Amino acid sequence: MADDALTPDPGQPLANGADTAPAAGMISQYVKDLSFENPNAPAIYQTPEPPQIDVQFNIGTGQVGEEVHEVTLKIDVRAETGGQVAFIVDLTYAGLFGFRNVPADQIQPFLLGEAPRLLFPFGRRVLADAVRDGGFPPLLLEPIDFAQLYLQQSAQQGDVQAGVVGQA
């Protein structure tokens, strides 16, 4: 019973700054920009061959408050068939992420690896719905390992920086 008196109630914040455990989490998520173009309708629906689809991703981050960052997942899709554009979709899906007591060197890996992983399934659904609503079969993108992409890009940038330093 004495131990119970020393254990804080998990539902109550600790007093006087005693709550120092690192915490990161999503505050909200939203469509920031969505554009769907179907420039060759209705003729494009008569084309029997499936379209060639090009998908591009970009991740952006920005600090919007003392401990709040916005992460944007930009997905650009261009589908062409028979030399004509079938459809173009531009989606910017974003989320706000809050941090408390997180070391500064851990924020960027979270923003560029974990945050896009959390946003992707919801952005993927918005994109699939937009393509379906445009008269095409839903475009279901394969899951992406954003953490691995972040690690690869960090390693490449480290190699480039090491090469520049090594040449000096």
Side-chain angles (χ1 to χ4, degrees):
M1 285 242 167
D3 289 337
D4 290 342
L6 297 176
T7 305
D9 179 4
Q12 297 295 320
L14 300 175
N16 298 326
D19 190 7
T20 59
M26 185 184 305
I27 298 168
S28 67
Q29 55 185 324
Y30 44 91
V31 173
K32 193 162 185 168
D33 185 36
L34 175 61
S35 170
F36 180 88
E37 297 177 38
N38 190 353
N40 293 304
I44 199 69
Y45 298 119
Q46 305 306 314
T47 307
E49 64 187 74
Q52 296 294 318
I53 298 175
D54 178 42
V55 180
Q56 300 292 320
F57 288 91
N58 192 11
I59 301 167
T61 65
Q63 190 164 358
V64 296
E66 186 176 330
E67 294 181 325
V68 179
H69 293 259
E70 181 185 54
V71 175
T72 57
L73 178 58
K74 182 155 178 44
I75 306 171
D76 294 322
V77 179
R78 183 179 182 92
E80 294 185 5
T81 185
Q84 290 186 319
V85 173
F87 62 86
I88 300 170
V89 184
D90 297 320
L91 170 65
T92 302
Y93 196 80
L96 291 177
F97 293 86
F99 296 91
R100 185 178 62 236
N101 302 322
V102 175
D105 65 334
Q106 296 299 310
I107 292 176
Q108 184 174 358
F110 182 91
L111 293 175
L112 297 176
E114 183 63 12
R117 183 190 70 79
L118 295 171
L119 294 172
F120 180 75
F122 301 98
R124 176 182 184 232
R125 183 193 53 80
V126 170
L127 184 88
D129 288 350
V131 171
R132 184 200 64 224
D133 292 347
F136 297 93
L139 178 62
L140 299 176
L141 299 176
E142 293 293 323
I144 298 170
D145 188 347
F146 291 100
Q148 184 62 35
L149 289 174
Y150 172 74
L151 292 174
Q152 288 173 350
Q153 288 181 345
S154 293
Q156 288 173 351
Q157 289 175 354
D159 290 345
V160 169
Q161 290 175 353
V164 170
V165 172
Q167 294 176 357

